[in-house]
Amino acid sequence: MAQTVFNPAPTPTIPVGGQAAFPVHRIFCVGRNYAAHAAEMGHAVDREAPFYFCKSAHDLLLSGHDMPYPPRTQDLHHEMELVVAIGASAQNIAVVDALDVVFGYACGLDMTRRDLQAASKDKRRPWDTGKDFENAAIIAPITPAADMGALETQVIELTVNGAVRQTAQLRDMVWSVAEIIADLSTLYTLQPGDVIMTGTPAGVAAVVAGDVLRGTVGALTPVETTIV
Ligand code: MN
């Protein structure tokens, strides 16, 4: 193989427990997956089919690190989400089998330049500049799936400076984790290292420099960052 003309960027990884690291392949994100959030964004719930957008794996910012306020926005929003880490390949997998390919779960923040996303929507352009930018995927260490327990009754919550901004149960998802994996596997051949951000509950809002964000899902390791 020819020598590369510069050193390639290292593969982003997410810690698993204290020892191992999960190498990230792709980051898929689900849109409008909680009815109350769809409503606050001006949309009805759509059970016709889930929809997706992507973030680069290189957008990853590990929980515990500060997030620099990004350029070209005056409306940076938090979106607290359950993150699913895929551990096996899957194509056209059935809903009943879909959780078998989950390696583990984590807390994550889908950070969004809402003003750029809104401008893209108005012009029927892609969302990339609103969603896919440096440090826009903040993810906490992964807990193995076997330690997660049943998903439905677990509470997802985000506080900003100690005040609750978002709270819901995972059963409030329009599309369940298994349904999302099954559907995504009809569009892509899912691979170990793929990560899915499963959508955000209602309560998204702007953050500013100095804000301290802390998101939890059940007993998973919290996702934490300070905007600087
Ligand atoms: Mn989101």
Side-chain angles (χ1 to χ4, degrees):
M1 195 170 105
Q3 188 179 353
T4 57
V5 297
F6 51 82
N7 291 330
T11 299
T13 63
I14 305 168
V16 180
Q19 312 289 324
F22 180 92
V24 179
H25 183 223
R26 296 172 291 191
I27 301 176
F28 298 104
C29 303
V30 184
R32 294 172 207 151
N33 200 29
Y34 291 79
H37 171 62
E40 75 180 350
M41 300 300 287
H43 298 279
V45 179
D46 179 2
R47 272 290 296 182
E48 190 178 323
F51 74 94
Y52 311 97
F53 56 92
C54 293
K55 294 184 187 241
S56 166
H58 295 277
D59 296 343
L60 179 66
L61 177 69
L62 293 182
S63 175
H65 293 263
D66 293 344
M67 180 188 185
Y69 197 91
R72 295 284 295 270
T73 184
Q74 292 173 325
D75 198 22
L76 177 68
H77 275 209
H78 55 73
E79 294 192 357
M80 178 61 203
E81 313 207 354
L82 172 68
V83 175
V84 179
I86 300 295
S89 68
Q91 191 174 32
N92 297 321
I93 194 168
V95 172
V96 290
D97 299 324
L99 295 184
D100 294 349
V101 301
V102 176
F103 173 83
Y105 298 93
C107 293
L109 285 162
D110 164 15
M111 300 303 290
T112 301
R113 292 193 280 212
R114 191 72 72 200
D115 42 2
L116 298 189
Q117 184 199 24
S120 299
K121 286 181 182 178
D122 287 346
K123 294 180 176 172
R124 298 189 170 202
R125 290 178 179 169
W127 290 7
D128 300 50
T129 60
K131 286 291 195 178
D132 180 5
F133 56 96
E134 291 95 334
N135 306 309
I138 309 175
I139 300 181
I142 294 170
T143 295
D147 300 331
M148 180 68 181
L151 297 173
E152 292 75 14
T153 58
Q154 301 205 33
V155 173
I156 180 169
E157 189 163 276
L158 178 77
T159 64
V160 177
N161 304 323
V164 176
R165 283 266 188 98
Q166 297 186 267
T167 187
Q169 286 190 341
L170 296 182
R171 65 154 55 104
D172 297 331
M173 286 182 176
V174 175
W175 299 95
S176 71
V177 171
E179 288 172 328
I180 291 163
I181 292 169
D183 185 69
L184 255 187
S185 81
T186 68
L187 291 162
Y188 303 91
T189 302
L190 293 177
Q191 301 286 350
D194 286 338
V195 164
I196 306 169
M197 305 190 79
T198 57
T200 196
V204 300
V207 291
V208 296
D211 282 348
V212 177
L213 284 63
R214 185 175 191 276
T216 55
V217 178
L220 296 180
T221 306
V223 59
E224 298 174 294
T225 193
T226 300
I227 310 298
V228 297

